Structures are given as C-alpha cells and as structure tokens.
Amino acid sequence: MGTTEAPPAPQEAFAERMFGALIATMELACVHIGGRLGLYAALDAGGPQTSGELAARAGVDERYCREWLEQQAVASVLEVDEASTPAARRFRLPEGHREGLLDPDSLRYVGAMARLGMGVLHPLDAMIEAFRTGEGVSYPAFGPDTREGIAAFNRPMFVNQLAQEWLPAVPDLHERLRSAPSRIADIACGQGWSSVSLAAAYPLARVDGFDADAASVAAARELAAARGLGDRVRVFLQDASDEGLDGEYDLVTIFEALHDMAHPVEALRAARRMLAPGGAVVVADERVADRFGAPADEVERLNYGFSVLHCLAVGREDDHAACTGTVIRADTVERYARDAGFAGFEVLPIEHDFWRFYRLTH
C-alpha cells in the first residue's frame, strides 16, 4: 500500500508562506520598476529585444536593464530566447500579459496593483511612529505612487462599469440623468476618473468634483481638459465635511472614500444638504464581511492590509476622528447615514468583487 505524505508542520508551513510572500513582494516591486520606467511599453514597441537594445530604447542603464529582464524571465512575466551570452538574449512580452501591463483602461490591468502596493510602503517609518504616538499620517506623505496608484486601480471600474452597470441598476436615477439636465456632485473625486466618466456617460449632466488633496485636484482638472469635458466638469479643492459645501444636486457620489474620512458623518450631512428634491446619494465602499471573522478570505485580508498600512492613518489626522479604517461594514455605513439625518438607506443590488453600493435619500 502507498503511503500518504504527512502535511508540513505548522511552523514549516508558516515559514513557507512568508517565504512566498517575500518573493511576491519583490516581484511586485520589479513590475513597478518596469511600469515606472516604461520598460514594458518600450519592449512592446520594439518587439523582442536584447538588454542593450531595450536600454537604448528606454533610456536606462544596460546592466540594470539586463538584471531586470532576467528577473522578469525567471518570474515568468517575460519570455526569453536563450543565447550563448547574456548580452545576446532576446526578451519579449507574452501576448497574454500585454493587456495587464499596458492597458490602463482594462479591468485586468495589473500595473496599478504594483504602483499602489509600493506606494503604501513609502512612509513606513512614519507609520511605525504613528503606532507609538496614535497620530495620523497625512495623505500627501504617501507620495505620488499611492495617489496615482489608487486612481489607476479604480480607473478601469469607472471607465467600464460606473455608467454601464452600476447606475443603470438604479433605473429611476439613471433615467433622470439621461433624460434631463442634471447636476452631479462627486465628493472625494481623487484624480477625476469618476467625474469624467459620469460626464461622458450623461451628456446633459454637469459634474462638480470635490477633493481635499491639492495634487489630486490638479490632476483631475488636467484630465477633464484632456478629455474635452472642461466645460461640464469642474473640480474644487474642498474638504467633504466643510459646512460651506452646498449646492443642489440630483446625484451626490462618494466612491471608496467614506472609510478614509476623519469625519464621515459630517461629510454625509454635507452630502444631504446638497441634494435637490428627489435626489440621492450613492456611496460605494468596501465589500467586506458583515462581521469580523478569522481566518478570512482574500478580499478581507486585502482590506485589512490597506487599513493597517494606509487608510486608518490618513483618517486620523484630525481631532476626534472616527477612525473607521478600510474594513467599513454595512451596519457602520447605515449608522453614519442615520446619524447624518438620512431617512432612506438601501443596499443596492449591484454585484461587485470589491465594493458594496448604498443609496441614501432624504
């Protein structure tokens, strides 16, 4: 009779898991380098290339480029034709990887994962100090990789799903935006992909974006102008909980930002004040479990990771902060909405891997 191999001891299994995590972290960082330096784009433009050819095309050092290419090949990100000498090896981008590495509008785009993953590690020393003091870490302290990584991660969803799937799942609201002139307020709009996607989908709508981060506001304004939507998309540097935030809007949106806000109830109160008669607030935030449980699935693990490394800290900068963290459960959103004065609260029937959607009404 055959024998069944015994599973590894818990200590060994844990060590193997952490070893795998170390390899994955380094490989993600190398993908990040390739994206930042334009190496994938240069490889795609020139076809199979040696390290010298790619270095010349991309404007980088050949020796670094060669080491990166070899790492990418051993990690199965790139393919390589073996040669007698390292300098003669020719590397190419597999067709199956092209979309994930080079198409920022694709729902399969992985470049954003690398940029965001590296970005949240940028202020790690400040994060460790925050653990000791209980202070927050400012959003700008995370640098452009985090800011742009968030925008790049959410961009394909806004471009491909916001007006094609999400809002059509709310038929009365969708029809209102399609059939008559309307106003939309996009709170915490970041670099503006949600705002321009709303304006592009609803030609009769005017969209006002609001964000408290100056660099994000500048990028959103540039994006609106580049997309030819500057006449219908305005972006303001303004905090979501500002009592001066007002207007009369048919739709107010808050996409994946409520959990980051130091004062989410105040932000929702501001959103409520901004509603026109019959208007609605649509909030999208993390699709986490209804209650804590361990161990948990990959989405829960992802959100707790971001909460420890980023979201809890950026939401603790102000006095008396709510300290929500990334793992914002549905009952927390409902409590915030009720405290803000909303009478209507509904979890919308929108299926999504990462987000849960809510409709709030007077």
Side-chain angles (χ1 to χ4, degrees):
M1 294 180 62
T3 59
T4 301
E5 186 176 342
Q11 300 92 328
E12 182 180 346
F14 181 66
E16 290 178 356
R17 175 185 165 193
M18 291 299 102
F19 181 66
L22 174 62
I23 294 172
T25 301
M26 290 182 174
E27 291 182 349
L28 195 67
C30 290
V31 169
H32 175 58
I33 288 172
R36 285 287 301 274
L37 292 174
L39 298 176
Y40 297 119
L43 195 61
D44 183 60
Q49 294 167 63
T50 65
S51 58
E53 291 167 343
L54 181 61
R57 182 181 290 272
V60 299
D61 176 78
E62 186 278 333
R63 185 63 187 88
Y64 279 119
C65 185
R66 190 194 330 157
E67 202 74 5
W68 178 83
L69 282 166
E70 291 179 359
Q71 181 279 329
Q72 293 284 279
V74 301
S76 300
V77 178
L78 300 179
E79 295 174 343
V80 59
D81 294 324
E82 282 293 349
S84 57
T85 63
R89 292 176 184 139
R90 305 188 74 81
F91 298 83
R92 61 182 175 274
L93 185 65
E95 183 57 37
H97 294 183
R98 187 183 182 282
E99 180 181 353
L101 292 167
L102 291 173
D103 185 357
D105 281 345
S106 171
L107 290 166
R108 300 181 184 90
Y109 182 59
V110 302
M113 300 180 195
R115 188 154 201 185
L116 181 54
M118 295 301 103
V120 296
L121 299 179
H122 177 72
L124 198 56
D125 286 342
M127 181 65 67
I128 291 170
E129 184 61 20
F131 265 70
R132 296 190 176 106
T133 65
E135 300 293 325
V137 178
S138 72
Y139 185 77
F142 284 85
D145 282 332
T146 298
R147 181 178 69 249
E148 294 171 10
I150 291 171
F153 192 86
N154 292 338
R155 170 180 173 173
M157 296 188 288
F158 292 138
V159 169
N160 296 291
Q161 296 176 316
L162 197 166
Q164 298 88 332
E165 299 175 18
W166 302 346
L167 291 181
V170 194
D172 61 313
L173 186 57
H174 176 60
E175 185 59 30
R176 178 172 180 161
L177 298 176
R178 281 202 320 153
S179 62
S182 55
R183 295 185 69 197
I184 300 172
D186 189 15
I187 293 178
C189 66
Q191 294 200 335
W193 283 101
S194 49
S195 300
V196 299
S197 296
L198 285 163
Y202 300 108
L204 299 179
R206 300 182 67 87
V207 182
D208 290 341
F210 302 90
D211 204 279
D213 179 63
S216 295
V217 168
R221 289 170 177 168
E222 290 176 7
L223 176 63
R227 294 297 172 110
L229 294 167
D231 59 331
R232 291 196 294 115
V233 177
R234 303 181 301 170
V235 186
F236 301 91
L237 181 63
Q238 198 161 5
D239 189 276
S241 59
D242 190 340
E243 291 186 0
L245 201 64
D246 58 16
E248 195 166 85
Y249 295 90
D250 301 274
L251 170 65
V252 179
T253 60
I254 305 175
F255 293 117
E256 204 194 20
L258 191 68
H259 71 262
D260 284 321
M261 294 176 180
H263 306 290
V265 173
E266 288 82 349
L268 289 175
R269 284 196 188 117
R272 185 172 177 270
R273 288 196 305 270
M274 297 165 74
L275 285 182
V281 175
V282 171
V283 174
D285 223 305
E286 311 304 347
R287 193 182 193 93
V288 293
D290 290 334
R291 60 188 58 84
F292 175 79
D297 64 19
E298 289 182 335
V299 173
E300 199 89 348
R301 289 166 57 193
L302 177 72
N303 283 306
Y304 266 110
F306 275 124
S307 200
V308 169
L309 295 172
H310 179 261
C311 298
L312 181 59
V314 299
R316 294 195 72 175
E317 272 211 285
D318 295 349
D319 293 335
H320 311 296
C323 301
T324 307
T326 318
V327 187
I328 182 170
R329 307 195 193 279
D331 58 357
T332 299
V333 178
E334 181 171 13
R335 173 165 52 85
Y336 288 166
R338 302 298 187 196
D339 290 348
F342 285 98
F345 177 87
E346 175 189 4
V347 177
L348 292 169
I350 300 172
E351 292 299 320
H352 195 268
D353 290 338
F354 297 111
W355 292 356
R356 183 180 285 117
F357 296 79
Y358 309 88
R359 180 178 186 174
L360 284 54
T361 54
H362 281 299

